[in-house]
Structure formats: structure tokens, C-alpha cells
């Protein structure tokens, strides 16, 4: 018997007519799915020129880490977790997958990934905003390889520029807004005889003096103060050249803040340099409200300050410590900083207008994070993997056991300090400990890992980019990371 082929278009056209007869139409899943499609159909492309661009980067927040954050935030709200939607995951945001590799590295580093987003070209491992002929650690290859940054471009359009980070301002991702260096680790000094570039901290102050950077808030105070000089927190600076860059910035007319009190006293009438910690700012889980402002606090201040420019602004905001907690193998601090990032995104969206502001939410890279199965709905993302229940939605009452007869957590890492292998002489041996839910959900718990490493590594997996505002719809399919720059540039120059 000859089969009749029915086109997808014909089925789609007939759907409204027979949908009411489908048994699943009474399901919440069915109606929510149709509502999602309806919202996408109704979405209109914004092809106006962007006055402002805000890029929010959760360092190390790839697809896996973002998944864990979604569950964590949802479970903190009393949900099972999986059904939760983060602020940037709704239908009014466009999205794409992003390939993060560097010119010479399958597994990327934060410096060239952030540099790719700020210049439009991929870069080499451990370098910032230098072309492909530059060599890591070779100061002589800087000249002639300097790339023009997005910050420099928008400054030429009389826009303001700000950079905010919970990491040191001289760290890779924030530094990519303003610095050009053959080594991301030259935060407060360069090798003897290197005359082709300054250290990263000095470059920030130079960019403030030149009117390129109008606001900079984050950590890293020690790289701006000389050796022997006691900093605001009672520690000492690290600069060997004897130059006090904090004093230099103040002498040039910048405001300076170092804690929540001085942060609250900042005014809107002159450039801002805020250094809230000698190194990185505290993890959100450890932050005292009277010590350091939150990422959302800094986001609000930055937008209010930069919005004074009628020509617009470019602002990069980094949740830098998502990355560091992943390196530590500590899920609790990873996800609490992820939650703080989501709050900053929601606030940035609230304080701006989609009509004239392109907001981009992304990550520079992912980590060697892994998720176990087969866990029932609502298994605590920080805790043990509980079995799938035969009835209802929530997981069964008993945790699943591995072949060794011991429970395991939902979340782990392929490598890191939590490795189950322990060095014994010239060999590595070990077995997994018998975990309890209380152990696994402790704030200081280090997730189990396979390969022993002192610090967990990045991975080469794709990350997501989400966007809303002018030309956000250009983020689609799978893109190279440097394409993010090109969307930003098109948005601010569109006719």
C-alpha cells in the first residue's frame, strides 16, 4: 500500500483545528509549551541604534554551571528547582551557543576570551588585546600587535565607559576592557627592560587619565599601592616601582572608595576608582554587608553614574568569583555567586530601556563540571542524588548508591582538589568517603573529583550568550566568541 506523505507545514496549519481534541491539551506542560511558542512568534526585532551597551560576564559560567545555578536559585525559593527560570532565560531574550577556544588553546583562558569580546578577534592564551603574532611573556612582541578595544571605539563616539568586577580589576576579564599586555599576570610590574608596555594597574590609571575609563570598581588594591605602604585594610602594596596609583588617580580628580561607607559617599560629578579588597572581593557567601558592596550594588551605582552621559555608555560587569569557586571545587560558593550575578542582571534590565540599551549576558568559558544521574526531581543541587519516585514529582526518600555501595552527589568535577585519589609515595590510591546529606551541603564542602589537581581546570565546552535590546536577535545559532564584539559594534553604529 502506498504511503501518503504529509508535510510539516500541513500539520502545522491543521493544528489549531484538531488541537482541542488532543488528550494532552489540559496539561499545564502543553499549555505552557504553546504559550512559549506564542511569545516567540510575537517577539519583534529591534533594529534601532543602541545608545548603551552592557555586557555582564559570569566568569566560568558555562552551560553546566548555569544549569546548577538555575536549580540552586529555584530550590532556595522552595521549588523543586528544575522548573526555575533565571532572569535572562525568558522569551524576551535572544540566545546562542558560543565557541570559546583561543587561537592556540582548545581549553581557553579568561584573558583572550574576554579580549575576543572586546576587540572582535580571537587571541592567544594568557595575552590580552594583542594580535596573533604576539608571544606570551615576550614584551618585544607587543609593539605593532596592539588591538583597538571597544572601549576606545565608544570613547571616540563621546560615550562613557565603566568596568565592574568582584575579582581584581587587574584580573583578566576586567583588564580586557582597557589593557594590552603580553602576560595577564603582569598586574603591578613588567619584566626588567620591558619598555613597550606598562603593567595592567598602571594602564588602568592611564586610561582614566585619558578619559577612556570613567568608572572602575572591584578588587585588587594591592596592585595600585607600593611595597611598604599600608593599604586601607592594613595590608601592604606590591608595586616595586614606588608609585602610588591610588594617590595618582585622586590627584587627577578621581573619587576613591574602599568600603561600603566610602562607596555610599561617592558622588556623580567626577570619575570613580573603587578598590574594595586588596585581592579579589569576598565570595557572596562570605561578604559582610558593612565591608563590601554587592555586585548588584555596584551595578546600580555604575548605571546611575554612566547614564549621565547623553551620548550613552559601555559597561562591562563581571561576576569573577563564580570562576574561582569552581577552581576550588566548592559548589556552594560557586552557586551563591551565580545567584548574585542573576540579581545583578535583573537589576541592570530594570534600570535600563530595551529601546536603546543592548544588554548581553554571557561567560568567558566553562569548567570541568559534571552531573551525576539518575537523580529524581528536586534532589538538592548541592547534595546527594536521590532516586526517581514512582508517584508524584519529587524524588524518592533514599539516595542512590554507586557500585561501591556509597551515595554520590548530584554535582562533581572531573578534576580538582576534591579528587578521590590521594598521593601515597609515588602512587595515587584512594576510595570515596561515605557521604551524608549534611556533609555534602556544608558551605565548605569540596565536591568529589576524579583526577587530582591542586586547582580544578577550565573546559573547552561552549557557553551561552543571551541578549535583549537593539540587534539582540543577531545572537542566534552557534557563534565564535569574537562575534559578540561585532554585534555590539553593529548595534552602536546602525543606521
Amino acid at each position: 500500500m502506498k504511503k501518503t506523505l504529509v508535510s510539516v507545514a500541513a500539520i502545522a496549519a491543521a493544528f489549531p483545528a484538531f488541537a482541542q481534541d488532543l488528550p494532552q491539551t489540559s496539561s499545564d506542560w502543553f499549555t505552557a509549551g504553546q504559550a512559549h511558542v506564542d511569545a516567540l512568534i510575537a517577539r519583534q526585532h529591534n533594529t534601532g541604534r543602541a545608545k548603551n551597551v552592557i555586557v555582564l560576564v559570569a566568569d566560568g559560567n558555562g552551560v553546566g554551571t548555569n544549569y546548577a545555578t538555575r536549580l540552586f536559585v529555584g530550590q532556595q525559593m522552595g521549588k523543586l528547582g528544575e522548573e526555575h527560570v533565571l532572569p535572562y532565560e525568558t522569551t524576551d531574550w535572544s540566545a546562542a551557543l558560543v565557541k570559546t577556544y583561543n587561537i592556540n588553546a582548545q581549553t581557553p583562558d579568561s584573558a583572550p576570551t574576554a579580549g575576543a569580546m572586546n576587540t572582535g578577534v580571537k587571541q592567544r592564551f594568557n595575552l590580552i588585546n594583542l594580535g596573533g603574532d604576539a608571544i606570551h611573556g615576550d614584551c618585544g612582541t607587543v609593539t605593532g600587535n596592539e588591538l583597538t578595544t571597544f572601549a576606545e571605539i565608544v570613547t571616540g563616539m563621546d560615550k562613557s565607559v565603566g568596568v565592574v568586577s568582584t575579582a581584581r580589576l587587574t584580573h583578566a576579564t576586567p583588564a580586557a576592557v582597557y589593557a594590552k599586555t603580553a602576560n595577564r599576570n603582569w598586574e603591578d610590574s613588567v619584566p626588567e627592560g620591558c619598555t613597550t608596555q606598562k603593567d595592567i594597574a598602571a594602564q588602568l590609571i592611564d586610561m582614566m587619565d585619558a578619559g577612556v575609563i570613567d568608572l572602575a570598581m572591584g578588587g585588587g588594591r594591592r596592585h595600585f599601592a607600593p611595597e611598604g605602604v599600608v593599604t586601607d585594610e592594613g595590608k601592604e602594596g606590591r608595586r616595586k616601582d614606588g608609585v602610588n596609583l591610588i594617590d595618582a588617580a585622586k590627584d587627577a580628580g578621581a573619587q576613591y572608595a574602599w568600603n561600603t561607607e566610602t562607596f555610599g559617599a561617592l558622588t556623580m560629578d567626577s570619575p570613580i576608582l573603587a578598590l574594595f579588597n586588596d585581592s579579589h572581593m569576598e565570595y557572596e557567601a562570605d561578604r559582610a554587608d558593612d565591608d563590601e558592596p554587592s555586585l548588584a550594588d555596584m551595578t546600580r551605582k555604575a548605571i546611575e553614574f554612566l547614564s549621565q552621559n547623553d551620548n550613552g555608555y559601555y559597561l562591562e560587569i563581571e561576576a569573577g568569583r563564580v570562576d574561582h569557586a569552581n577552581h576550588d571545587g566548592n559548589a556552594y560558593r560557586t552557586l551563591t555567586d551565580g545567584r548574585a550575578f542573576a540579581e545583578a542582571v535583573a537589576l541592570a534590565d530594570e534600570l535600563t530601556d530595551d529601546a536603546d540599551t543592548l544588554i548581553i549576558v554571557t561567560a568567558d568559558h566553562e569548567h570541568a563540571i559534571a552531573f551525576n544521574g539518575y537523580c529524581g526531581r528536586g534532589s538538592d543541587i548541592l547534595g546527594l542524588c536521590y532516586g526517581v519516585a514512582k508517584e508524584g514529582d519529587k524524588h524518592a526518600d533514599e539516595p542512590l548508591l554507586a557500585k561501591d555501595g556509597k551515595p554520590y552527589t548530584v554535582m562533581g568535577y572531573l578534576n580538582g582538589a576534591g579528587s578521590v585519589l590521594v598521593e601515597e609515595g609515588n602512587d595515587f590510591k584512594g576510595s570515596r568517603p561515605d557521604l551524608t546529606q549534611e556533609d555534602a551541603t556544608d558551605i565548605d564542602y569540596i565536591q568529589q573529583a576524579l583526577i587530582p589537581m591542586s586547582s580544578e581546570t577550565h573546559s573547552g565546552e561552549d557557553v551561552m550568550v543571551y541578549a535583549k535590546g537593539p540587534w539582540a536577535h543577531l545572537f542566534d545559532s552557534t557563534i565564535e566568541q569574537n562575534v559578540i564584539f561585532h554585534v555590539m559594534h553593529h548595534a552602536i553604529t546602525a543606521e
Side-chain angles (χ1 to χ4, degrees):
M1 182 176 178
K2 187 176 180 180
K3 294 181 179 179
T4 301
L5 299 179
V6 180
S7 72
V8 173
I11 294 174
F15 182 79
F18 70 75
Q20 59 186 357
D21 297 325
L22 296 177
Q24 61 265 42
T25 54
S26 62
S27 165
D28 290 343
W29 296 107
F30 190 93
T31 54
Q34 188 57 47
H36 186 94
V37 171
D38 291 343
L40 292 176
I41 293 171
R43 189 165 65 185
Q44 300 293 313
H45 292 169
N46 180 343
T47 57
R49 178 180 291 189
K51 176 181 176 181
N52 315 307
V53 176
I54 302 176
V55 177
L56 296 109
V57 180
D59 197 312
N61 189 55
V63 173
T65 302
N66 190 75
Y67 161 77
T69 300
R70 181 193 306 138
L71 267 66
F72 176 76
V73 175
Q75 289 171 353
Q76 293 286 303
M77 297 170 66
K79 304 177 182 179
L80 293 179
E82 296 84 2
E83 75 278 27
H84 185 63
V85 178
L86 293 169
Y88 42 88
E89 294 180 326
T90 60
T91 54
D92 51 345
W93 294 75
S94 297
L97 279 169
V98 180
K99 297 190 286 185
T100 63
Y101 64 94
N102 305 147
I103 287 177
N104 59 335
Q106 182 183 81
T107 303
D109 167 57
S110 294
T113 52
M117 291 186 274
N118 276 280
T119 63
V121 297
K122 282 187 178 282
Q123 299 170 26
R124 301 184 71 83
F125 198 78
N126 277 334
L127 278 67
I128 300 177
N129 295 335
L130 297 180
D133 291 333
I135 298 173
H136 175 230
D138 187 344
C139 192
T141 64
V142 172
T143 301
N145 281 305
E146 301 98 330
L147 302 171
T148 299
T149 65
F150 190 67
E152 291 171 317
I153 292 171
V154 301
T155 298
M157 301 170 70
D158 294 324
K159 296 181 185 292
S160 297
V161 178
V163 56
V164 170
S165 178
T166 53
R168 296 192 295 268
L169 283 174
T170 49
H171 220 235
T173 303
V177 175
Y178 61 85
K180 301 167 189 181
T181 178
N183 191 326
R184 59 167 288 179
N185 295 318
W186 293 345
E187 294 183 63
D188 55 40
S189 63
V190 295
E192 187 175 352
C194 177
T195 59
T196 57
Q197 70 155 91
K198 293 184 178 181
D199 62 80
I200 296 171
Q203 289 190 54
L204 173 56
I205 301 306
D206 283 351
M207 288 294 99
M208 293 187 74
D209 288 345
V212 175
I213 301 297
D214 301 281
L215 175 145
M217 296 192 293
R221 188 187 305 115
R222 68 191 187 192
H223 299 298
F224 294 81
E227 288 181 331
V229 170
V230 178
T231 64
D232 302 291
E233 288 181 317
K235 300 177 182 179
E236 289 192 2
R238 292 194 175 186
R239 299 192 62 82
K240 293 180 172 59
D241 60 6
V243 177
N244 191 319
L245 294 177
I246 298 172
D247 286 348
K250 291 191 289 187
D251 290 344
Q255 303 175 77
Y256 173 66
W258 67 275
N259 60 8
T260 54
E261 181 181 357
T262 51
F263 172 75
L266 291 170
T267 63
M268 298 286 116
D269 55 7
S270 57
I272 292 173
L273 174 65
L275 300 168
F276 297 114
N277 199 299
D278 275 23
S279 185
H280 304 301
M281 293 179 67
E282 297 295 330
Y283 286 115
E284 181 64 21
D286 305 317
R287 183 179 63 84
D289 289 341
D290 59 348
D291 265 346
E292 299 178 355
S294 68
L295 186 62
D297 292 335
M298 293 190 290
T299 296
R300 180 184 294 277
K301 184 75 74 174
I303 291 174
E304 289 176 349
F305 180 83
L306 298 172
S307 294
Q308 297 177 109
N309 187 339
D310 292 337
N311 296 312
Y313 59 86
Y314 168 49
L315 171 61
E316 182 187 280
I317 301 167
E318 185 204 21
R321 307 231 63 193
V322 173
D323 175 73
H324 302 157
N326 264 331
H327 279 306
D328 291 341
N330 178 223
Y332 192 100
R333 288 181 174 83
T334 297
L335 304 185
T336 49
D337 269 62
R339 179 180 61 192
F341 175 72
E343 292 169 353
V345 172
L347 181 61
D349 190 19
E350 176 188 330
L351 295 176
T352 56
D353 187 345
D354 292 351
D356 66 5
T357 302
L358 172 62
I359 301 182
I360 298 170
V361 175
T362 190
D364 44 3
H365 56 74
E366 177 59 298
H367 281 261
I369 194 171
F371 299 94
N372 292 312
Y374 293 96
C375 310
R377 285 281 307 280
S379 292
D380 191 330
I381 188 63
L382 295 173
L384 302 180
C385 178
Y386 283 80
V388 176
K390 291 184 178 181
E391 296 182 1
D393 297 338
K394 191 175 180 181
H395 60 73
D397 292 333
E398 295 297 322
L400 296 176
L401 303 180
K403 197 71 173 176
D404 58 5
K406 299 173 182 178
Y408 52 88
T409 56
V410 177
M411 180 176 166
Y413 292 91
L414 294 177
N415 65 70
S419 174
V420 296
L421 299 176
V422 179
E423 189 170 10
E424 294 183 7
N426 295 322
D427 200 3
F428 282 87
K429 300 178 181 179
S431 61
R432 298 191 314 115
D434 201 350
L435 276 178
T436 66
Q437 181 76 342
E438 184 180 6
D439 293 333
T441 56
D442 185 82
I443 185 174
D444 294 319
Y445 178 68
I446 302 300
Q447 309 301 121
Q448 289 180 3
L450 175 60
I451 299 170
M453 295 274 194
S454 59
S455 176
E456 179 270 347
T457 70
H458 299 171
S459 82
E461 291 178 65
D462 295 346
V463 302
M464 290 296 298
V465 58
Y466 303 89
K468 67 184 312 194
W471 298 98
H473 59 280
L474 295 182
F475 289 112
D476 196 1
S477 67
T478 301
I479 65 172
E480 298 285 359
Q481 196 161 38
N482 54 294
V483 171
I484 292 174
F485 166 93
H486 294 278
V487 176
M488 296 192 300
H489 187 262
H490 180 78
I492 63 169
T493 57
E495 294 298 333

